[in-house]
Amino acid sequence: MGGSETEGGQGDGSEDELFNLFRFTTTCLSLGIPKEKVAGDFRHSLEDFRQRGVLPLEELAQLRATTDGGAIEHPAQWAEGFAAGYLAAWAAATLRVLDSRGVSFGRDKHLFRPLNLCTDADLLTRFLDRAVTATHAGDLVAGEPSLLERDGS
C-alpha cells in the first residue's frame, strides 16, 4: 500500500510523502506543539521535497501561498512572486559561493546573466551543489549547455 520513492516525483511515492507530511503536521498540531515550530518543520520538509525532485517549485509555491500567513488575497500572484524570488536567491547563492571561493565567473553575460535568468529550480540546485567544488566557472555549467542558450546569446 505505501508507495515507494520514485525519481523525479513521478508515481505514488510523491503523493505518499506529501500525505505523510500532512498527517505528521496535523498530528503535531493536535498534540499542542506550537504552530510556529510545526510551520517551520513543514516548510523545511517542503524544501527538502523540492530539492529531491518530489515537489516541483511551482507546487511548492502554491502550497506556501495557501498555508503561509493565513489569508493571502491573491495566492496565484503570491506563488508567482515566491517562485521568482526563490530562483533569484538560488542564482545569487551560486554566484556568492563561487565568489567566496575565489572562482572567477566574470560579470559578463556568458554566465552571470543566464544564471540570473534561469527558471529551472532543479538546474539551479545542481549549479549550487557544483559551485562548492568548482575550480573554474566552466565546471559549473559542464554538461549543461542549455544555460548559455536560454538568454538568446
Side-chain angles (χ1 to χ4, degrees), residues 118-141:
C118 183
T119 59
D120 184 338
D122 295 330
L123 184 61
L124 287 170
T125 299
R126 288 195 302 274
F127 289 157
L128 184 56
D129 291 343
R130 291 176 188 168
V132 174
T133 58
T135 56
H136 299 87
D139 295 341
L140 188 72
V141 295

Side-chain angles (χ1 to χ4, degrees), residues 11 19-20 22 24 28 37 45 47 54 64 84 93 96-97 99 101 109 122 124-125 127 129 136 139 148-149:
F19 181 70
N20 287 338
F22 173 75
F24 178 76
C28 289
K37 168 79 171 110
S45 294
E47 175 56 26
V54 173
R64 293 283 306 264
R96 176 72 179 133
V97 168
D99 188 50
R101 294 189 60 246
K109 69 177 184 172
D122 295 330
L124 287 170
T125 299
F127 289 157
D129 291 343
H136 299 87
D139 295 341
L148 301 177
E149 297 166 0

Side-chain angles (χ1 to χ4, degrees), residues 45-56:
S45 294
L46 290 177
E47 175 56 26
D48 178 59
F49 290 168
R50 210 281 317 143
Q51 288 186 31
R52 290 189 293 121
V54 173
L55 186 66

